[in-house]
Structures are given as structure tokens and as C-alpha cells.
Amino acid sequence: MSERSPAPGGLALIEALVNTVDLESGADSLDTEEGRTRFGLTEDALPAARRLRESLRATLLAHAGHPPHRPVTPLGELLAEAPLVVTVDPADGAAALAPVEGGSLLSRVAAAVAEAVTAGTWSRLKACEAADCHWAYYDRSPAGRGRWCSMQVCGARAKMRRYRANTAGQKGSAGSRKGP
């Protein structure tokens, strides 16, 4: 959907997971072997991965100032179950949270969230405000107020709807005026 470049660091994993389903068509790449392999998922892990995906989408909508698209398990509840370890680089002493060996998707997502919070980039990962889209994107705008995954598609549609609504409202009010 988006012409934007991928999110930085571990946020690319989260962006890719959220964008595995096209809300407009209903196509879900996790339904394919290739789509599951990309995230190291088995068919048995799909229900949990889909819960995680939709919880992430709701959080990304919140980053953009929008309510959840539907009721979901709060992201914090899901991430609380993620097994992580603290790693320390012996060369410079830098510490980070990392998934335990052979980390699950949940652990990798939790580590990516922790990395992004530390880097100050977490709130820049958002979901498009278009109700038929909600595609994840990284907001690189200077003020951090991006609203759509694609200005050429979702942004243009929203602006055209707004224009048409204003034009229709002006015609309706102009036609209802009564002369002397």
C-alpha cells in the first residue's frame, strides 16, 4: 500500500507484521507458507500472531490519535508474556533487551518495542487513519503528525471526500436561501 521506506531498526519487524493483512481485500499473507516462514511461524502459532498483530495495530492507531479499530487484547498484556534477557556488550558496556535464544515472534516484537522506546522512535510508528487501510508506516515528517500511509492514495481519498462533502454542503445551503 505504501511508497514509504521501511521503519528503522526493529520497528521494521512490527511494521511488516501489521502489514500482513490488507483490510480492504481481506488478504492475509499469514495464510501462506511463505508469509508464515517470514516470521518463523507455524500454523499452531497463527492465532497468537494474529492477536499480537491486531493489538499492535490498535497501538499504532493510538500513536496517530485514533481509537482502536476493534476490541483487542492490550499490547502490554501480550508483551508481559515475552521471555527476554538483558544483554551487555563486553566491548562498550551497552545494555539491551533481547529475545531469549530461539526467540518467539512475541519476544522479538517486545525487544523491538524496547529498542524503539529507548531510541525515541516508538511513537513514530503509526497506523493509517483510513478505516479501510490502517496500514502501518513510520512517520518521518518533521512534526511527527503524519496521518496516512500514502499521501497519494489514502491522503488523496480523504481530501477528496472532504472536498466533496464541503462542496455538497455549500450547494445545499446556497439552494436553500430565499430571496426578497
Side-chain angles (χ1 to χ4, degrees):
M1 175 67 72
S2 177
E3 70 281 349
R4 295 175 184 259
S5 55
L11 289 178
L13 168 68
I14 296 169
E15 180 181 49
L17 177 60
V18 171
N19 292 344
T20 56
V21 67
D22 180 332
L23 295 181
E24 194 170 23
S25 71
D28 186 343
S29 68
L30 295 181
D31 289 336
T32 68
E33 182 67 33
E34 181 181 331
R36 289 187 298 274
T37 301
R38 179 176 177 199
F39 296 98
L41 295 171
T42 62
E43 283 195 50
D44 293 343
L46 281 178
R50 286 188 170 120
R51 272 192 308 278
L52 177 60
R53 176 182 65 195
E54 297 313 312
S55 184
L56 285 163
R57 185 184 317 280
T59 299
L60 303 186
L61 281 165
H63 286 174
H66 302 292
H69 58 303
R70 62 184 177 98
V72 297
T73 304
L75 184 59
E77 286 182 26
L78 294 175
L79 296 182
E81 302 294 321
L84 298 172
V85 296
V86 177
T87 61
V88 180
D89 186 328
D92 66 4
L97 286 176
V100 295
E101 181 125 359
S104 66
L105 178 60
L106 180 63
S107 294
R108 290 181 286 143
V109 165
V113 169
E115 172 192 319
V117 168
T118 302
T121 57
W122 175 233
S123 63
R124 290 272 183 158
L125 190 61
K126 299 178 179 182
C128 181
E129 76 174 39
D132 59 348
C133 181
H134 294 319
W135 203 254
Y137 68 95
Y138 188 76
D139 183 0
R140 288 182 168 81
S141 67
R145 293 189 178 153
R147 299 172 62 185
W148 301 287
C149 65
S150 167
M151 191 58 214
Q152 288 72 27
V153 179
C154 293
R157 288 177 185 168
K159 288 181 176 196
M160 184 55 70
R161 278 192 293 273
R162 193 175 316 122
Y163 171 78
R164 286 182 180 148
N166 288 339
T167 303
Q170 291 171 356
K171 285 180 183 175
S173 63
S176 65
R177 290 187 197 154
K178 294 185 179 181

